[in-house]
Amino acid sequence: MNEHVPASEDEAPAAAETRVDLAEDYRSSGVADVLADLDRELIGLAPVKQRIRETAALLLVDRARRKLGLAHETPTLHMSFTGNPGVGKTTVALKMANLLHRLGYVRKGHLVSVTRDDLVGQYIGHTAPKTREVLKKAMGGVLFIDEAYYLYKPDNERDYGQEAIEILLQVMENHRDDLVVILAGYADRMESFFASNPGFRSRIAHHIEFPDYSDQELLRIADSMLGSQEYHFDDEARAAFAEYIAARRSQPHFANARSIRNALDRARLRQANRLFESGGLIDAAALSTIKAEDIRGSRVFAGGLAHERAKDEGTKSE
């Protein structure tokens, strides 16, 4: 009778996977690229970027737990973005959709951006099909609802917003593995909205606050916007625009980067008129340069927007 001989190490069965390389997963999933794009394309917003990185880390760890057979549950990923207009909420929502797609938490990774008018009908029986059609388009991606608090109008008993809210809540719960909803708006109004609709608060796991840009950040944003169109400030114009930012911030309806874009559009308009009226030959340098007079022609320097509106009601200007 032959003695039993233990199998050699080479003949031993392969061990089950016991480790996951998070750094490699971070690179190969494309998450590193998404976060790099976020840093490159958005100036400032350090606390927002940090929250997005933390969310990415949570999802990478969740994937690692699945790979190793550990207990796991799909994280609740519905979010609230609060902040003033023009601080990049929609842009970050786009990046979030891409990140969720790369990690396999949504099938398509597209963003559907809507407001109340896209969800709520004006007569009985109109709201449900409108809301369901929007949700159908958003499935597999991210639904971004801007100024979400307008869905709820408690003072109007004929309003159909509550019907849209009930459908949204049901879908957010039943399809959270195939749809992420981001509610956005001013912080104080969103707080009132959540207080009036506790079903939303209980389904929102991530509350991200977007700070206003500083004056220096807004100036960098202006440089970037101009550069993308092959324009630039000369030194005097850049100094004038820094003054513009400080003055505009204290005036009505300031909207961060959105107001900067509007101001640059008007500066380009004044530059075009200046060049046209000068006549004669013109070179690429002149066509590409914004001068101080193109900035200082703004009504912001002539008593402010409120002063101009008092003189000329209905005129919209930056």
Side-chain angles (χ1 to χ4, degrees):
M1 183 171 165
N2 294 332
E3 292 185 3
H4 173 71
V5 179
S8 68
E9 290 184 7
D10 292 339
E11 296 170 336
E17 185 178 13
T18 58
R19 295 184 185 180
V20 171
D21 187 339
L22 283 177
E24 174 58 27
D25 207 12
Y26 174 69
R27 290 188 296 270
S28 63
S29 65
V31 171
D33 296 332
V34 174
L35 296 180
D37 287 345
L38 192 66
D39 275 332
R40 183 172 57 253
E41 295 175 20
L42 283 178
I43 290 168
L45 299 180
V48 175
K49 292 174 180 177
Q50 180 59 30
R51 286 297 304 276
I52 301 302
R53 289 189 191 97
E54 291 169 356
T55 302
L58 170 69
L59 300 181
L60 284 166
V61 167
D62 178 68
R63 288 211 323 175
R65 290 181 62 87
R66 277 186 284 165
K67 289 179 180 178
L68 297 183
L70 296 172
H72 70 279
E73 182 177 344
T74 301
T76 299
L77 294 170
H78 303 309
M79 302 178 183
S80 169
F81 287 1
T82 55
N84 291 322
V87 291
K89 295 187 291 291
T90 305
T91 301
V92 172
L94 277 165
K95 298 300 181 187
M96 180 57 69
N98 189 7
L99 187 148
L100 294 172
H101 175 58
R102 287 174 180 261
L103 287 173
Y105 286 90
V106 293
R107 289 178 293 116
K108 300 178 182 177
H110 63 301
L111 180 77
V112 175
S113 181
V114 299
T115 62
R116 170 193 163 87
D117 289 345
D118 299 298
L119 298 167
V120 180
Q122 297 179 351
Y123 51 84
I124 294 175
H126 191 204
T127 295
K130 282 189 75 170
T131 301
R132 291 196 176 101
E133 181 61 26
V134 167
L135 288 167
K136 182 180 178 182
K137 291 178 182 177
M139 281 295 170
V142 172
L143 176 63
F144 181 83
I145 306 177
D146 200 14
E147 297 183 309
Y149 33 74
Y150 286 131
L151 289 174
Y152 181 68
K153 293 186 175 181
D155 298 332
N156 184 353
E157 62 183 24
R158 288 184 156 189
D159 184 70
Y160 303 111
Q162 188 60 40
E163 184 177 1
I165 288 173
E166 290 170 2
I167 295 171
L168 282 167
L169 289 173
Q170 183 180 32
V171 170
M172 287 171 69
E173 183 64 28
N174 296 340
H175 296 273
R176 61 195 183 106
D177 59 344
D178 198 35
L179 177 70
V180 171
V181 175
I182 298 177
L183 307 178
Y186 290 106
D188 56 346
R189 295 185 187 180
M190 288 300 293
E191 185 60 34
S192 298
F193 175 70
F194 286 133
S196 302
N197 296 273
F200 271 121
R201 186 186 292 279
S202 67
R203 288 168 174 79
I204 299 294
H206 306 275
H207 294 261
I208 301 179
E209 184 175 350
F210 286 65
D212 286 335
Y213 292 109
S214 69
D215 287 8
Q216 190 59 38
E217 287 169 345
L218 288 171
L219 189 56
R220 288 172 56 201
I221 287 170
D223 286 330
S224 177
M225 287 179 175
L226 284 179
S228 68
Q229 300 179 56
E230 295 191 53
Y231 284 87
H232 63 272
F233 294 123
D234 68 14
D235 290 343
E236 291 182 0
R238 198 166 191 275
F241 200 76
E243 292 179 39
Y244 172 93
I245 291 170
R248 180 66 184 90
R249 183 187 288 281
S250 65
Q251 294 173 8
H253 310 296
F254 177 67
N256 286 281
R258 198 174 303 164
S259 288
I260 297 303
R261 182 181 296 109
N262 292 342
L264 294 177
D265 285 346
R266 291 191 169 273
R268 289 173 54 224
L269 179 66
R270 288 188 286 269
Q271 182 233 33
N273 277 279
R274 170 174 58 78
L275 294 174
F276 180 75
E277 289 174 2
S278 68
L281 297 174
I282 193 166
D283 60 14
L287 289 168
S288 304
T289 303
I290 301 295
K291 295 191 172 183
E293 60 195 280
D294 304 324
I295 303 301
R296 295 193 180 280
S298 169
R299 297 179 182 186
V300 167
F301 291 104
L305 299 181
H307 175 73
E308 286 298 324
R309 286 192 180 94
K311 290 168 54 181
D312 184 11
E313 285 188 12
T315 300
K316 187 177 182 182
S317 173
E318 289 291 345

